[in-house]
Amino acid sequence: MAVQWREGSNGPQLRGAGREDAEEKVPAGPAYEISTLNVFLAAATSGIMPGGNRTELPLFPQSEMAVLTQKYEEWAPEPFNKLPGPQGIFGPSSSVSPAPLIRWMHLLSGMDDILAMAFSSQTLPTSVERSFKLVKTKVWLGIVPVTDARWRAKGLDATDNIEEALAIIAQVVDVFKHLAKPEVQGDLRNINNKLWAEIDVFQDACNAVRTTKGEQAPAWNLTKLWEAFNEHHYKFIEQQARSWALTHLKTLHNIWKQKFLVTFQSGRVLNATQATVRIDHFDMMIMRKIQELQFEADIYIRSRTDGFITASREINPSLANIDAPKEQLNEIYRHVEISRVSAMEAAFQMTADARTQHRRREAPVPAFLEEPSLNTDREFAHKELQPEIETPPKMQMERWVRMQMDEKVERFGFVIYRLAYEGSDAEWKAFVRKLEAGIESGLEGLVGIDGVKPKMSLHWIDGREEKIPEGDLDAARKDFKAISDLPSFPSGLAKTTFLAITPHCLLSFSDAREGDRKGDYRGFLQAVDADFDNASKKDKKSDPIGYDGSFKIIDQLVWTDLFAVFVACNGQTMHDYWALAAQHPWGVYVGPTTGVRRRQWREMKGGLGFFLEASKKVVDERARGN
């Protein structure tokens, strides 16, 4: 699809997305993703911090994990065994404290803040578009929003697709802008500081268990491990996002710069010393937009931990009064952030202006070349200030990949049911080869993936042998539930979801659609929610209209999205996948989308509707004529 643009008062502009291309908004969720606690405890017990770095701090022993699930009164000495429950609006929620893990989850989920807002004049938690929420989750988990394989399959380096490419990268920048908002940053700071205090109480209680017996306090310190985890976590997600965004922006800028230069040098030669030049103002506008996005990525894709308590009690002095009202601290942070961004913008502008003044003085150009020259001034000014524009940071291994490298992991993957029975055995084998090649192609470019490929497993079950009717997902779900709890069920395979090949899936891989098997129109599988109960009244009331406990997903996202986000990290629900899939013309999940892509789908659907209406009109006229 050719890139579409319009002529604005200040030159050509990209079309952008319309109001009708906005997604349904959903609650943004807690500032800290719920899965963070599991990731922290895994790091505290293994010593492997986010990003793969190993801490030198003494590790939290696995033997102590059981204490986290026991009430304080069951194991801690005074005064810790008298701790009341977590604070609510009207005081402690109970006279007896629950287990430490319960107290921590209460804080991490933001429940205390939600309750406080419900009984105050504060605004409720922000809502965001579904795709934005998924991108936010991926960023938080250190998972790239669009893998290299998907980027290539969608052809996002092609000049015709520049608008969507920029929109996808802008989504990631917008996630960090969202995290930098005073109210969101305030939630992050508030949760971190409260959780820090809770972990510190737990640490003191563990120390007291030993000192009251005349023993030495343990060498490990969970409070310091939490601080180390936070430091590594924020550095990791910052590096992942900067690496991904700046690498793609560099590639795009080089492509469009070369395109501009080819046009520029394609003028007519007048004589031995004179020639005309051609300036493509659309190409120049795109280069300017790429440069602006590079600058925004550089400014905003950064960790913000202002006002976070540390074990050494180091904290931003202006935010040191941690007991001050959150709104007051948010206002202080807002000024800190404005000053930080303003300083970076001023440094860039000063460097760019200096380059422009030097160029005008030493190598003046005609007026018609001034705008291209300003683009060049801005390009090299930014590169002078930020080497990462030219040499982006290296991408690190994603945590879900590192998890599978553990020697205890023998295999990981999915059960996959054959529920399409037509065709010969030879045709089925050819299909399976095509399917598995498509699934594996989604792994291209992932750091460290070759080290875990031998452990990847798709465990096939032929529905005919289990007397499952063709295409019957409910019958397959019943069979899966029956076998997934058996001792003989292969270890390491997902138990919360499974895959299926229905006749519709089989058709999506057929040669008839070979030309469309790229980008967002690839062959797909059915992902099935193992716990969905179609007959349950509860599900019928709470589940979205039309949700049947399954959704279609393209082959390239089976590992990098369904397994990485849902199975390994619990970062997305099956309902969420289904709701995102519903936007696609085929009803297939292809990852988070942008307003630009949804505009293209809307216009495609509109064009198809027009075509069908015109066809019907022709048929009706012929019928009347006969």
Side-chain angles (χ1 to χ4, degrees):
M1 180 180 291
V3 66
Q4 297 177 336
W5 58 284
R6 55 187 170 81
E7 194 71 37
S9 58
N10 295 319
Q13 299 290 327
L14 291 171
R15 285 185 59 199
R19 291 182 180 179
E20 58 269 60
D21 304 312
E23 275 184 317
E24 170 195 9
K25 289 198 171 184
V26 295
Y32 268 82
E33 295 283 335
I34 294 297
S35 59
T36 305
L37 195 53
N38 288 335
V39 180
F40 162 60
L41 291 175
T45 52
S46 69
I48 301 175
M49 294 288 149
N53 296 313
R54 187 174 289 276
T55 182
E56 295 181 358
L57 294 170
L59 305 186
F60 183 60
Q62 282 282 355
S63 58
E64 296 288 337
M65 289 289 287
V67 178
L68 292 176
T69 61
Q70 298 172 11
K71 295 179 180 179
Y72 273 100
E73 66 176 2
E74 296 175 1
W75 60 273
E78 291 188 359
F80 304 100
N81 60 357
K82 307 274 188 204
L83 282 175
Q87 284 292 316
I89 299 300
F90 305 108
S93 56
S94 64
S95 58
V96 178
S97 172
L101 204 56
I102 302 298
R103 296 177 69 98
W104 301 352
M105 285 296 295
H106 178 79
L107 292 173
L108 201 66
S109 66
M111 282 303 299
D112 58 331
D113 281 341
I114 292 173
L115 291 171
M117 284 187 285
F119 286 86
S120 71
S121 60
Q122 299 177 51
T123 57
L124 290 174
T126 55
S127 294
V128 296
E129 291 188 346
R130 282 190 179 276
S131 288
F132 181 89
K133 183 177 181 180
L134 176 53
V135 174
K136 181 171 76 76
T137 296
K138 286 189 168 188
V139 165
W140 186 267
L141 296 172
I143 295 174
V144 296
V146 177
T147 63
D148 289 350
R150 290 293 298 140
W151 190 275
R152 285 192 292 272
K154 289 166 70 70
L156 292 173
D157 284 337
T159 54
D160 284 352
N161 294 327
I162 184 62
E163 190 177 14
E164 187 187 2
L166 294 179
I168 289 170
I169 298 171
Q171 259 185 340
V172 176
V173 177
D174 288 344
V175 165
F176 280 86
K177 286 182 178 180
H178 170 81
L179 295 176
K181 287 180 179 178
E183 62 273 20
V184 178
Q185 184 66 21
D187 288 341
L188 289 167
R189 181 183 63 247
N190 197 42
I191 290 172
N192 171 79
N193 291 351
K194 287 183 177 181
L195 193 53
W196 185 95
E198 279 287 344
I199 294 174
D200 207 39
V201 168
F202 171 77
Q203 183 67 46
D204 289 342
C206 290
N207 291 350
V209 168
R210 290 156 178 79
T211 56
T212 53
K213 298 177 182 177
E215 301 173 1
Q216 284 189 336
W220 52 266
N221 187 306
L222 203 57
T223 313
K224 290 183 178 180
L225 285 166
W226 169 251
E227 180 185 341
F229 170 81
N230 256 328
E231 180 182 354
H232 285 282
H233 167 73
Y234 282 104
K235 285 182 178 178
F236 173 58
I237 65 172
E238 175 186 319
Q239 180 169 339
Q240 292 291 87
R242 288 180 73 87
S243 173
W244 181 85
L246 295 178
T247 297
H248 284 302
L249 286 169
K250 176 186 175 182
T251 300
L252 292 172
H253 188 267
N254 289 343
I255 289 170
W256 282 87
K257 186 176 181 179
Q258 181 62 28
K259 185 174 182 292
F260 175 83
L261 290 174
V262 168
T263 302
F264 185 83
Q265 296 167 356
S266 66
R268 292 186 299 114
V269 176
L270 301 179
N271 53 49
T273 59
Q274 292 180 311
T276 63
V277 296
R278 297 176 61 200
I279 296 176
D280 191 318
H281 289 275
F282 180 80
D283 292 356
M284 196 161 60
M285 177 269 291
I286 294 295
M287 285 195 296
R288 179 67 181 270
K289 285 190 174 295
I290 293 171
Q291 289 175 359
E292 290 172 350
L293 196 50
Q294 283 176 319
F295 187 58
E296 285 203 332
D298 187 20
I299 287 180
Y300 290 103
I301 302 181
R302 295 175 182 269
S303 298
R304 266 82 168 168
T305 55
D306 304 281
F308 280 35
I309 298 176
T310 64
S312 58
R313 302 302 197 271
E314 294 177 1
I315 195 170
N316 186 319
S318 62
L319 295 165
N321 184 13
I322 60 175
D323 294 325
K326 188 165 70 170
E327 294 73 20
Q328 179 181 327
L329 294 174
N330 288 353
E331 185 63 18
I332 294 171
Y333 164 79
R334 187 176 71 83
H335 289 291
V336 170
E337 179 66 7
I338 289 174
S339 297
R340 180 161 43 211
V341 172
S342 297
M344 295 178 71
E345 290 174 339
F348 169 73
Q349 195 60 53
M350 185 171 63
T351 305
D353 289 346
R355 291 189 68 90
T356 300
Q357 291 169 11
H358 180 268
R359 172 182 56 78
R360 287 172 176 170
R361 185 173 60 252
E362 301 296 329
V365 297
F368 69 89
L369 289 179
E370 182 61 18
E371 191 59 30
S373 299
L374 285 173
N375 263 9
T376 303
D377 293 340
R378 285 188 289 264
E379 174 190 348
F380 286 96
H382 197 188
K383 288 178 178 178
E384 179 183 336
L385 289 171
Q386 178 52 270
E388 289 183 359
I389 300 302
E390 190 63 32
T391 310
K394 290 184 178 180
M395 184 66 67
Q396 301 295 307
M397 189 185 302
E398 294 180 4
R399 179 176 175 269
W400 75 271
V401 177
R402 191 179 303 280
M403 288 167 60
Q404 314 315 317
M405 287 188 167
D406 192 315
E407 59 183 14
K408 296 178 183 176
V409 177
E410 296 179 1
R411 74 172 69 84
F412 65 98
F414 299 95
V415 166
I416 179 168
Y417 281 82
R418 176 184 178 179
L419 300 180
Y421 306 143
E422 290 188 4
S424 66
D425 288 346
E427 288 172 329
W428 175 255
K429 289 178 180 178
F431 162 75
V432 170
R433 286 194 298 271
K434 187 185 295 185
L435 169 69
E436 293 183 344
I439 291 174
E440 186 170 341
S441 73
L443 301 170
E444 294 172 11
L446 281 184
V447 177
I449 197 65
D450 288 339
V452 299
K453 277 185 179 179
K455 298 183 180 183
M456 291 180 164
S457 177
L458 293 176
H459 182 77
W460 283 93
I461 294 179
D462 191 332
R464 295 173 300 181
E465 297 176 2
E466 308 303 324
K467 304 295 188 289
I468 299 174
E470 186 173 45
D472 193 334
L473 296 178
D474 288 332
R477 181 185 291 111
K478 184 177 180 181
D479 182 78
F480 181 80
K481 293 284 284 184
I483 66 172
S484 59
D485 290 329
L486 295 176
S488 57
F489 187 77
S491 62
L493 299 185
K495 291 189 175 184
T496 52
T497 186
F498 63 92
L499 303 172
I501 299 298
T502 65
H504 198 187
C505 298
L506 197 64
L507 179 62
S508 74
F509 283 90
S510 69
D511 292 337
R513 294 182 179 176
E514 192 66 31
D516 287 334
R517 289 192 62 249
K518 293 182 178 180
D520 293 338
Y521 299 95
R522 300 179 59 88
F524 55 80
L525 305 82
Q526 204 81 26
V528 185
D529 184 347
D531 297 319
F532 181 81
D533 184 356
N534 202 30
S536 169
K537 293 182 180 180
K538 178 181 178 181
D539 280 330
K540 286 185 178 180
K541 290 181 179 179
S542 63
D543 289 335
I545 296 174
Y547 178 65
D548 65 352
S550 69
F551 66 92
K552 295 189 279 288
I553 181 172
I554 58 171
D555 52 2
Q556 286 189 320
L557 294 180
V558 167
W559 292 118
T560 59
D561 206 307
L562 183 62
F563 186 86
V565 179
F566 176 69
V567 177
C569 299
N570 299 309
Q572 175 93 332
T573 70
M574 298 289 278
H575 292 175
D576 293 331
Y577 280 118
W578 174 84
L580 287 168
Q583 302 170 4
H584 188 276
W586 293 0
V588 181
Y589 176 74
V590 295
T593 59
T594 65
V596 171
R597 175 53 88 192
R598 294 190 294 273
R599 184 200 75 209
Q600 293 169 351
W601 287 345
R602 171 174 57 81
E603 292 172 348
M604 186 181 73
K605 290 176 183 177
L608 179 61
F610 176 81
F611 174 76
L612 292 175
E613 185 65 29
S615 299
K616 182 177 182 296
K617 186 176 180 181
V618 170
V619 171
D620 290 344
E621 287 177 352
R622 286 178 177 174
R624 284 194 296 270
N626 291 335

